[in-house]
Amino acid sequence: MATLSYFVLLYIYDALEFKWVVFKGLITLLCLMAGGYFLNDYIDLEVDKKVHPNRALPKGYISLNLVFILSSIFFTTSLILGITTSYKMALLVIVSAFLLLIYNVALRRYHIIGNIVVSFLSASVFIFASIISSKWDKSFFIILIAFLFSLSREMMKDIEDIRGDRKSGYRTLPIVKGVKFTFLLSRFVFIAGIFVIIASFFTREFSYRYILSSIFLVIIPSTIFLIFKWKPQSVSVISKYIKAEMIAFILVLFIEGLK
C-alpha cells in the first residue's frame, strides 16, 4: 500500500513521470521500510520464539547476523539515496530511521507512544512523495488523515494482540488503560479523521471530484459502520474495515487526480 500511496500523490501533483528521481524516491522509501522490518526481526527474536516460533528467524532458517547485515545495508542505501536526492529527503530518512530504531528498542512497549510513531511512519509515505514532487498544497490534510486512520487501526491491533503483548511484557495502551478505553479512543481518532476530511472540503485545494468521492466512498460508509458495526466484540472486523477505508481514501486521491 505504501508504493500505491506514493504513486497516487505524485499523480495528483502531475509529477508521475518516468524520471530517475521518482523511482529514486520510491527505492529510498522501500529500503527504509525493509531496514525497519529486518531491524524488528533482529530485536524481537526472543519474543518471536515464544509468540511466532514458525517464522524463519526463530526456526533458524536464516542467521541473526545476516538479518543485522541486511538491515544495515537497507538503512545505509536509503540514507545514501536520500542524501543524493535533497537535504529534505536526507532529513526525513534520518528522522524515520531514528524513530524506527527507538520504536523497536523501547517505544513499542509503552502506551500510545509506539502507536503514534508507527502512524507517523505510515503517513510519511506522503511526505516522501511531496518532497519528490516539490508540492505541498494538498499534503497537510492528506498526511493528517492518513495519520489518524493509521493511529485508530494501530490501537485496534493492540487490542487484538493483547494476550501476546502481555506475555512479552509490553505495556501497550489496552494493557495499561484497559480495552474499553482503547476501544473508545480508537473510535474517537477515527471520527477525527472523518472530520478532517470534511474540513478539507472548505479549502480551495481540492476539487468536486475529491468531495463527492470522499462522501460516497468514505464518509457515508464510515457513518453507517460506526452506527451499526463498531462494537467491542468486533475488533478484528473494525481493524479490517479501517484498512479498507484507508485504501478507499487512496482511491479518492486517485479520482482527485483525474483530469
Side-chain angles (χ1 to χ4, degrees):
M1 195 160 68
T3 302
L4 180 62
S5 301
Y6 175 82
F7 281 130
V8 166
L9 190 59
L10 289 177
Y11 176 66
I12 289 177
Y13 285 143
D14 291 323
L16 188 55
E17 301 174 321
F18 287 99
K19 291 184 177 180
W20 166 235
V21 68
V22 172
F23 292 100
K24 189 178 181 181
L26 178 62
I27 295 169
T28 304
L29 171 63
L30 295 179
C31 284
L32 181 66
M33 293 173 61
Y37 289 140
F38 281 112
L39 177 64
N40 177 267
D41 287 345
Y42 179 83
I43 292 175
D44 273 2
L45 176 59
E46 295 304 318
V47 173
D48 286 343
K49 284 180 179 178
K50 301 174 184 177
V51 183
H52 304 289
N54 294 320
R55 288 183 176 177
L57 189 57
K59 278 280 190 179
Y61 295 149
I62 56 176
S63 70
L64 192 62
N65 286 337
L66 177 59
V67 170
F68 178 78
I69 291 170
L70 288 172
S71 178
S72 301
I73 289 173
F74 280 118
F75 275 134
T76 303
T77 302
S78 180
L79 180 58
I80 292 172
L81 290 172
I83 291 172
T84 56
T85 300
S86 69
Y87 78 91
K88 291 179 181 178
M89 184 66 78
L91 181 61
L92 179 58
V93 170
I94 292 170
V95 170
S96 298
F98 176 73
L99 288 175
L100 281 168
L101 177 61
I102 61 172
Y103 167 76
N104 280 287
V105 171
L107 294 184
R108 66 180 301 180
R109 303 170 184 268
Y110 297 104
H111 303 195
I112 199 172
I113 301 175
N115 299 133
I116 291 173
V117 170
V118 170
S119 301
F120 168 78
L121 291 170
S122 297
S124 69
V125 172
F126 294 110
I127 303 178
F128 273 88
S130 296
I131 291 173
I132 292 298
S133 66
S134 298
K135 295 180 180 179
W136 295 86
D137 50 325
K138 300 178 181 180
S139 297
F140 172 76
F141 283 102
I142 293 171
I143 293 167
L144 182 56
I145 292 162
F147 171 80
L148 291 171
F149 279 4
S150 179
L151 181 58
S152 177
R153 184 166 184 262
E154 286 300 317
M155 287 188 278
M156 282 296 169
K157 286 167 64 179
D158 277 351
I159 296 176
E160 287 186 272
D161 297 339
I162 189 169
R163 291 183 181 178
D165 288 343
R166 187 175 278 124
K167 287 181 181 178
S168 303
Y170 294 167
R171 292 178 56 80
T172 57
L173 195 63
I175 292 174
V176 175
K177 295 293 185 179
V179 171
K180 183 178 180 180
F181 175 85
T182 307
F183 181 84
L184 292 174
L185 183 59
S186 173
R187 181 188 178 101
F188 173 80
V189 171
F190 183 78
I191 293 173
I194 299 298
F195 273 101
V196 172
I197 293 176
I198 296 172
S200 67
F201 295 169
F202 298 95
T203 70
R204 296 182 178 181
E205 306 299 341
F206 298 95
S207 71
Y208 72 92
R209 294 184 298 274
Y210 170 86
I211 295 173
L212 291 177
S213 57
S214 293
I215 291 172
F216 287 104
L217 293 177
V218 180
I219 296 174
I220 292 177
S222 294
T223 301
I224 295 171
F225 190 89
L226 282 163
I227 294 172
F228 296 105
K229 294 292 185 180
W230 199 291
K231 308 294 182 183
Q233 64 271 23
S234 305
V235 171
S236 179
V237 174
I238 295 170
S239 179
K240 290 182 176 65
Y241 177 79
I242 297 172
K243 185 173 183 178
E245 280 303 340
M246 292 166 74
I247 296 172
F249 184 66
I250 294 173
L251 178 58
V252 168
L253 297 179
F254 175 77
I255 294 171
E256 166 67 4
L258 295 175
K259 298 295 185 288

